[in-house]
Amino acid sequence: MRNILAGISLLAITIFSFASLAAAQELKDIPLPAPKTDGGKPLMQALKERQTSRAYDTKKLPPQVLSDMLWAAFGINRADSGKRTAPSTRNWQEIEIYVVMEEGSFLYDAKANRLQAVAAGDLRKMTGTQDFVPAAPVNLVFVADTSKMKGASDADQLLYAGADTGFISQNIYLFCASEGLATVVRGLIGDKKALAEALKLPEQKKIILAQTVGYPATAK
């Protein structure tokens, strides 16, 4: 009897431990501070300083910088119509931005100005094959929701999604140039199918490109 009771107690402790661990690992939505939509460097200066970087510091981006960057990328700049800072074909607004960080992966919700929890755990390594990707604080994954692209052939969907992603990516480049951040847009993602599964993407959502953002690496 004692052995049975001891076994039951051990089982209960084990179940409780797993439940506690799961609760501790539960990922929650992150509300973002209101984006600062004024200031920054003049456009011509930002264009002059726009560049690609593949060397990153591991320092995390503060919430305000993250909010400002995502708004610049594809935030709502006309509240009355819901239109965005980057154009999209037929105003489909089919591109979604997944924000992959050490603490988890999130979907940028422009209307609510928040990061919607998607997957706990560090998936940064899955977003690219280059050495700097897992250490950089933020990797963005651009995903096209093809269900919004009504009337377009498969070939046109790929064309339009690529163009619309390019507009967003350039906004990020200019923001980074203005704020002294480093960035690079990437086609080298690795196993897109595995990443799509990790991000819980349904079949109609297709990964297009990724983009790394962070502070430039300091000289040693």
Side-chain angles (χ1 to χ4, degrees), residues 11 28 50 70 81 84 93 96 98 130 136 192 215 219:
L11 178 61
K28 296 182 179 179
R50 190 217 65 83
L70 291 169
S81 64
R84 319 287 279 267
Q93 299 187 18
E96 298 179 338
Y98 285 78
Q130 293 152 295
K192 284 188 177 181
Y215 291 99

Side-chain angles (χ1 to χ4, degrees), residues 139-155:
N139 286 285
L140 306 174
V141 180
F142 302 113
V143 174
D145 184 351
T146 61
S147 68
K148 295 182 178 180
M149 307 175 81
K150 304 297 185 183
S153 66
D154 290 347

